[in-house]
Amino acid sequence: MDKWLFRIAGIFVAFVLLAHELLGSPMVLPPLHDAGVPAQVLWLHHFSWHVGSVAMLGMIFLFILGARQAEDLSMVCVATGMSIGFAVLGIGLAVLASHSLWDTPAPYAWTVTSALGIAGIGVRLKVRGR
């Protein structure tokens, strides 16, 4: 069961990545170009946007490879920790900075991924008898 939870987490992150790049980029990046922000701000945002994509690729591979490991939890712990960090960031910004973030996938997608990772880790530890 733990392997399926990790696989589902990896597949879910793959869908989030596709949505991030194919749906999110056109919604976010063109308005920045039209806003007249300084070039450094604009291109730092482009860079940051795609750093998120690279991080998601890493998470996908960590979850999928971690599902194949019978004993080693290190890969799924890293991917789950990243998910938890993203969830805390999304929820924290939505609560403390701007409620408008609740209208985006940020607080939700990473909470789902975190829950899948935590559940998989819990199942694997229980199977091991820890």
Side-chain angles (χ1 to χ4, degrees):
M1 178 66 168
D2 58 319
K3 291 182 179 190
W4 279 108
L5 289 166
F6 299 142
R7 288 180 185 129
I8 292 167
I11 292 165
F12 182 76
V13 175
F15 282 115
V16 172
L17 172 60
L18 286 172
H20 177 76
E21 284 297 329
L22 299 177
L23 302 174
S25 290
M27 289 175 58
V28 173
L29 300 178
L32 280 177
H33 284 275
D34 297 338
V37 296
Q40 296 89 343
V41 173
L42 176 69
W43 289 104
L44 183 58
H45 186 275
H46 273 279
F47 174 79
S48 299
W49 185 269
H50 297 298
V51 164
S53 299
V54 172
M56 284 186 258
L57 282 172
M59 289 168 66
I60 293 164
F61 288 115
L62 289 169
F63 276 125
I64 299 300
L65 292 174
R68 294 180 175 200
Q69 299 291 326
E71 296 297 320
D72 187 7
L73 278 171
S74 60
M75 287 183 270
V76 292
C77 285
V78 170
T80 301
M82 291 172 68
S83 298
I84 292 168
F86 288 0
V88 168
L89 179 61
I91 293 168
L93 287 173
V95 169
L96 300 173
S98 175
H99 293 282
S100 65
L101 201 55
W102 290 117
D103 296 332
T104 74
Y108 309 105
W110 301 115
T111 303
V112 170
T113 308
S114 298
L116 289 165
I118 290 167
I121 291 167
V123 168
R124 186 167 292 180
L125 291 175
K126 186 175 182 178
V127 167
R128 285 189 193 170
R130 291 187 182 177

